[in-house]
């Protein structure tokens, strides 16, 4: 059989017989790379052959998936209640963020009857042992293998029949039958297919570690994300100690769930109350700090938003947003200029979400506006007041979802007042200690909170 050269887009997996500067499928530039495809007869029929039988939808039983509990509460939450047997889970994140540590730690907390097989293409068995000792992993059924040839690794896996297989990382594994380099589109795709076949046939749950590229996507083509059942991202600032595990795709549970961890010398520790952590170290009565409550999945999290507004040295004022959407910040500043009458054309504005949680929810609008206004006017916001609300272009406050949940969290953390949109008034239940105040628009809200 003759080998064929094809050009594959690293972004979307598009294949072409000739090189092109621009990928016709996803329109990105210079992403087509050369791959040699080896034709083997065995490649046809990806999933188990001949086993599927059509059934009536009404006959399908909807018993819940068989799950293995990780006994790490935050990980179970993100997975939707445990590891589903026979599922393929991709864990992505920057190098050094703690992916290997998290998966090693799994072995520590899993029930003693669950066997784990860990294939590392990055570290030797010795290194793994040292690391496991440090986080005191003592699971008897934990097997490690340092190997990069996927065929060799899988032959051991077949012999061991583990309940859980961990492949660290997909970019270091290779199939010698394919001549392109490890980490290339062809390799990544082929290995994922082999792993997919394995988990559908044997009910082994497979975790794949994937590195991410500079712009934050998992290296290798998008096809990788399409093929797996769950995509989890492990995020966090390098120089901070907390880490957030986020589900961006989950066929067995809700996406947007987050799990929060803190790094320690003995590995990752769960953070049961993220709000408390996000608000620790908040300055007292300092201008430019506001607290809002966002909801990620099912969980409300309080976070502090800080803003610094100062006069600009250039004709074009600088605007910067960390942890929240830059365009949203610009829009909110425009609303403050036009609807509240702030003159900010010659003011630089920097907005930062403390604690590193990404806020992409409109319910945080009012807190951004409050922080900016507070810094601009140099007037602090009352320490015990939280603000919730989306801002419309006419300066009106729009209602937010799941208000009740947010208010309970605000109350739980000891706040005495919360400003909410008037549109939400009806959904307010009687709170024990929290005073809930409604406002129609941004100007009204600001008048209530700036001291
Ligand atoms: P590692 O798990 O190797 O990151 P990744 O697999 O994502 O590249 O973690 C990087 C380093 O951080 C490693 O030297 C161990 C250290 N570390 C801790 O000491 N404590 C922790 O809780 C974590 C997560 C990592
Ligand atoms: Mg690693």
């Amino acid at each position: 059989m003759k080998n064929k050269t094809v050009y594959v887009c690293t972004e979307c997996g598009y294949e072409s017989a000739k090189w092109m500067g621009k990928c016709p499928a996803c329109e990105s530039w210079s992403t087509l790379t050369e791959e040699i495809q080896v034709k083997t007869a065995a490649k046809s029929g990806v999933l188990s052959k001949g086993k599927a039988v059509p059934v009536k939808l009404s006959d399908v039983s909807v018993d819940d998936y068989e799950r293995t509990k990780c006994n790490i509460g935050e990980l179970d939450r993100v997975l939707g209640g445990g590891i589903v047997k026979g599922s393929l889970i991709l864990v992505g994140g920057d190098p050094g963020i703690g992916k290997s540590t998290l998966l090693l730690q799994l072995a520590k907390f899993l029930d003693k009857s669950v066997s784990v097989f860990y294939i590392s293409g990055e570290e030797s068995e010795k290194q793994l042992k040292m690391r496991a000792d440090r986080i005191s992993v003592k699971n008897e059924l934990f097997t490690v293998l340092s190997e990069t040839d996927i065929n060799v690794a899988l032959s051991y896996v077949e012999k061991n029949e583990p309940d859980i297989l961990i492949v660290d990382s997909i970019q270091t594994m290779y199939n010698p039958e394919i001549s392109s380099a490890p980490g290339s589109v062809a390799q990544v795709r082929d290995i994922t297919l082999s792993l997919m076949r394995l988990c559908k046939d044997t009910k082994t749950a497979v975790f794949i570690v994937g590195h991410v590229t500079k712009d934050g996507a998992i290296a290798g083509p998008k096809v990788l994300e399409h093929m797996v059942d769950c995509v989890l991202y492990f995020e966090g600032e390098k120089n901070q100690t907390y880490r957030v595990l986020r589900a961006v795709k989950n066929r067995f549970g809700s996406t947007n769930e987050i799990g929060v961890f803190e790094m320690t010398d003995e590995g990752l520790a769960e953070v049961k109350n993220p709000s408390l952590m996000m608000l620790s170290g908040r300055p007292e009565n300092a201008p430019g700090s506001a607290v809002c409550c966002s909801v990620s999945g099912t969980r409300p999290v309080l976070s502090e938003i800080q803003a610094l507004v100062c006069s600009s040295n250039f004709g074009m004022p600088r605007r910067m947003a960390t942890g929240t959407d830059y365009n949203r910040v610009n829009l909110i500043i425009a609303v403050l200029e036009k609807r509240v009458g702030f003159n900010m054309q010659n003011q630089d504005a920097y907005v930062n979400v403390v604690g590193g949680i990404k806020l992409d929810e409109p319910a945080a609008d009012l807190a951004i506006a409050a922080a900016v206004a507070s810094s601009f006017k140099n007037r602090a916001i009352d320490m015990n007041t939280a603000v919730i609300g989306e801002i419309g272009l006419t300066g009106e406050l729009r209602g937010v979802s799941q208000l009740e949940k947010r208010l309970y969290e605000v109350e739980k953390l000891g706040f005495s007042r919360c400003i909410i949109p008037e549109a939400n008034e009806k959904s307010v239940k009687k709170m024990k200690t929290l005073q809930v105040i409604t406002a129609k628009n941004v100007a009204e809200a600001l008048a209530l909170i700036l001291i």
Side-chain angles (χ1 to χ4, degrees):
M1 240 172 283
K2 202 170 153 265
N3 290 345
K4 196 174 94 183
T5 302
V6 290
Y7 295 87
V8 185
C9 173
T10 51
E11 287 292 315
C12 67
Y14 176 85
E15 279 180 25
S16 154
K18 62 178 195 338
W19 188 83
M20 281 180 278
K22 183 180 177 184
C23 170
C26 68
E27 308 208 322
S28 32
W29 288 91
S30 341
T31 52
L32 265 69
T33 50
E34 186 179 355
E35 304 264 350
I36 315 261
Q37 277 192 336
V38 182
K39 289 208 171 148
T40 49
K43 278 285 171 289
S44 61
V46 170
L47 293 172
S48 28
K49 268 178 274 174
K51 278 191 195 157
V53 192
V55 285
K56 286 223 173 65
L57 194 58
S58 53
D59 295 343
V60 179
S61 76
V62 282
D63 292 344
D64 208 7
Y65 301 103
E66 246 186 294
R67 292 181 192 261
T68 312
K69 279 254 184 274
C70 317
N71 301 328
I72 304 177
E74 297 292 303
L75 185 57
D76 278 333
R77 168 206 294 281
V78 176
L79 288 170
I83 307 165
V84 173
K85 290 202 174 138
S87 63
L88 193 56
I89 302 156
L90 178 63
V91 182
D94 288 327
I97 208 81
K99 302 179 293 297
S100 306
T101 310
L102 178 71
L103 293 176
L104 260 182
Q105 235 172 313
L106 241 189
K108 176 171 166 182
F109 289 100
L110 279 168
D111 287 342
K112 294 288 166 271
S113 56
V114 182
S115 56
V116 184
F117 196 96
Y118 190 112
I119 306 171
S120 179
E122 307 194 335
E123 288 163 301
S124 66
E125 283 98 355
K126 235 191 208 131
Q127 282 170 315
L128 285 170
K129 170 74 178 152
M130 272 159 59
R131 198 199 270 259
D133 281 349
R134 201 150 51 87
I135 58 175
S136 36
V137 177
K138 286 196 198 78
N139 195 335
E140 292 296 314
L141 292 171
F142 188 47
T143 317
V144 293
L145 172 72
S146 181
E147 177 61 69
T148 51
D149 183 333
I150 191 74
N151 297 334
V152 176
L154 287 184
S155 67
Y156 284 114
V157 173
E158 266 159 39
K159 264 181 246 153
N160 272 269
E161 295 184 350
D163 296 314
I164 291 171
L165 172 69
I166 298 165
V167 180
D168 189 3
S169 65
I170 186 103
Q171 278 88 12
T172 51
M173 292 293 165
Y174 79 103
N175 179 355
E177 285 167 29
I178 296 177
S179 53
S180 47
S184 66
V185 180
Q187 288 282 6
V188 166
R189 185 160 32 186
D190 180 86
I191 292 164
T192 312
L193 274 179
S194 315
L195 293 171
M196 190 159 129
R197 209 171 328 167
L198 173 94
C199 61
K200 301 301 169 210
D201 285 352
T202 61
K203 291 265 170 257
T204 300
V206 181
F207 282 89
I208 302 176
V209 173
H211 291 298
V212 296
T213 55
K214 279 198 294 300
D215 38 341
I218 290 177
K222 272 273 181 287
V223 286
L224 188 58
E225 290 190 21
H226 295 319
M227 279 153 73
V228 300
D229 299 311
C230 296
V231 181
L232 310 181
Y233 273 95
F234 208 30
E235 302 167 345
E237 299 290 329
K238 267 275 161 59
N239 43 12
Q240 304 241 14
T241 56
Y242 56 79
R243 296 284 180 261
V244 176
L245 187 68
R246 191 185 291 277
V248 289
K249 167 179 176 181
N250 192 350
R251 287 187 182 147
F252 312 110
S254 138
T255 52
N256 285 329
E257 274 303 349
I258 58 166
V260 185
F261 296 92
E262 190 179 4
M263 278 172 69
T264 67
D265 289 342
E266 284 93 42
L268 294 154
E270 289 178 66
V271 176
K272 292 263 163 56
N273 190 342
S275 297
L276 206 59
M277 183 189 74
M278 297 299 161
L279 296 185
S280 65
R282 192 158 62 107
E284 260 176 58
N285 292 327
S289 154
V291 172
C292 75
C293 184
S294 59
V295 174
S296 314
T298 55
R299 173 191 252 185
V301 178
L302 293 191
S303 37
E304 180 194 353
I305 296 183
Q306 292 193 340
L308 180 66
V309 178
C310 53
S311 53
S312 174
N313 288 323
F314 304 99
M316 258 291 271
R318 258 176 83 101
R319 301 280 142 91
M320 223 168 86
T322 319
T324 181
D325 182 33
Y326 172 79
N327 293 320
R328 196 81 203 163
V329 169
N330 272 333
L331 187 143
I332 291 167
I333 292 176
V335 170
L336 286 175
E337 285 188 343
K338 189 86 180 172
R339 308 289 173 206
V340 192
F342 286 7
N343 183 3
M344 294 185 63
Q345 282 107 350
N346 53 357
Q347 301 285 317
D348 289 344
Y350 304 92
V351 173
N352 179 30
V353 180
V354 184
I357 273 205
K358 282 206 181 68
L359 279 187
D360 40 18
E361 224 204 352
D365 286 358
L366 184 57
I368 298 175
V372 170
S374 160
S375 178
F376 179 64
K377 292 281 179 195
N378 211 20
R379 286 163 63 187
I381 294 171
D382 172 31
M383 276 289 282
N384 294 312
T385 303
V387 294
I388 298 169
E390 177 179 348
I391 296 177
L393 291 186
T394 67
E396 87 278 18
L397 284 187
R398 311 185 65 100
V400 299
S401 61
Q402 311 193 51
L403 185 78
E404 210 180 322
K405 207 177 250 178
R406 297 176 205 257
L407 289 178
Y408 280 125
E409 182 75 7
V410 169
E411 187 175 60
K412 200 167 91 192
L413 279 134
F415 286 80
S416 58
R417 283 203 314 168
C418 187
I419 313 291
I420 62 160
E422 203 181 60
N424 271 127
E425 199 172 7
K426 282 205 192 75
S427 49
V428 181
K429 297 259 158 54
K430 194 148 172 45
M431 306 298 293
K432 271 194 223 103
T433 54
L434 187 72
Q435 186 192 2
V436 181
I437 304 169
T438 58
K440 259 206 231 30
N441 52 41
V442 191
E444 217 179 287
L446 291 181
L448 284 167
I449 49 178
L450 294 182
I451 48 177

